[in-house]
Amino acid sequence: MPEQRREQDGAIAGTGMGGAMDLAASEATTLEGTPGGPGGTKDTGKPRSLWSDAWRDLRRNPVFLVSALVILFLVFISLWPSAIAPGSPMSCDLAKAQDGPGPGAPFGYDGQGCNVYTRTVYGARTSVTVGVCATLGVALLGSVLGALAGFFGGVWDSVLSRGTDIFFAIPVVLGGLVLLSVVTSNTVWPVIGFMVLLGWPQVSRIARGSVITVQQNDYVQAARALGASHSRILLRHIAPNAVAPVIVVATIALGTYIALEATLSYLGVGLKPPSVSWGIDISAASPYVRNAPHALLWPAGALAVTVLAFIMLGDAVRDALDPKLR
């Protein structure tokens, strides 16, 4: 036994302190070289949040980049349509009715002799305005009602649940035909109000479920134990962590509201002439589709591209904000 112990001590002594120091130095070098180590170049000293991770993923997503560029272009022509479409969309010449493409009219003329290109560009303003305003109204109303129902529960939650069931039972197009047929205003606000009236239940259910899930976390329980008020808990602790599903649903719904406005205008209960809308142009060009298909294809194509861009943007945002899809 003494001889074995001396042999082991000799083996350990044979390595020397230099070997141990070399090993420690190599481990430190490896640790410093890693991205998350003390000497890493990617360590900012701050934990990454859900929003920073989502933005990093979105910048690398080609679907998001393409849809964002299309939407930025739509916003630009909505604000400054005259920058790319000179002339007035109400300027028509019956002598050029149903004519094909020509100088100053790359999309041709419709049945009333109006420039299809100019009307298609100016129609983006109406569609984007209706879509954005309706989405903001639906997201705000639905989020507030859903968050209050999920946070307080009880009778308030039961009343909201039964109310959303009633609104879900109303067909959207049929409801638009009934409600908007009695409206005489020729502005976009009745259409926006109708969309908010029938669109908030979906967002409220999403917000309610998200709030119920978030308020079970430990940091919310700790805030309650420390005596934080209901408003502080809702605004500072629950809302920032429960708003992601609402943003995803609202982004996808924006394209749906644009298509709904065009559908109601096509049926004659949405916007009416002299307003400029893709739905109005599609409805006016339908009787002449055989003689002048270009008058129908261009506004219909612009509508399809716009709706697709917002749906693609919503899918990209959903993938970035959902940790389960990573």
Side-chain angles (χ1 to χ4, degrees), residues 149 155-166 168 205 208:
V155 177
W156 179 257
D157 189 14
S158 300
V159 171
L160 181 71
S161 299
R162 301 293 77 78
T164 54
D165 291 340
I166 294 174
F168 276 126
R205 284 196 170 183
R208 172 184 173 274

Side-chain angles (χ1 to χ4, degrees), residues 187-209:
T187 63
V188 299
W189 300 113
V191 180
I192 294 173
F194 163 74
M195 294 180 182
V196 174
L197 179 64
L198 293 187
W200 68 267
Q202 180 184 10
V203 176
S204 68
R205 284 196 170 183
I206 298 296
R208 172 184 173 274

Side-chain angles (χ1 to χ4, degrees), residues 210-224 237-238 241-242:
S210 182
V211 168
I212 291 176
T213 302
V214 171
Q215 71 175 347
Q216 297 175 359
N217 293 330
D218 294 337
Y219 57 85
V220 177
Q221 303 300 327
R224 281 201 178 98
H237 301 286
I238 294 181
N241 298 284

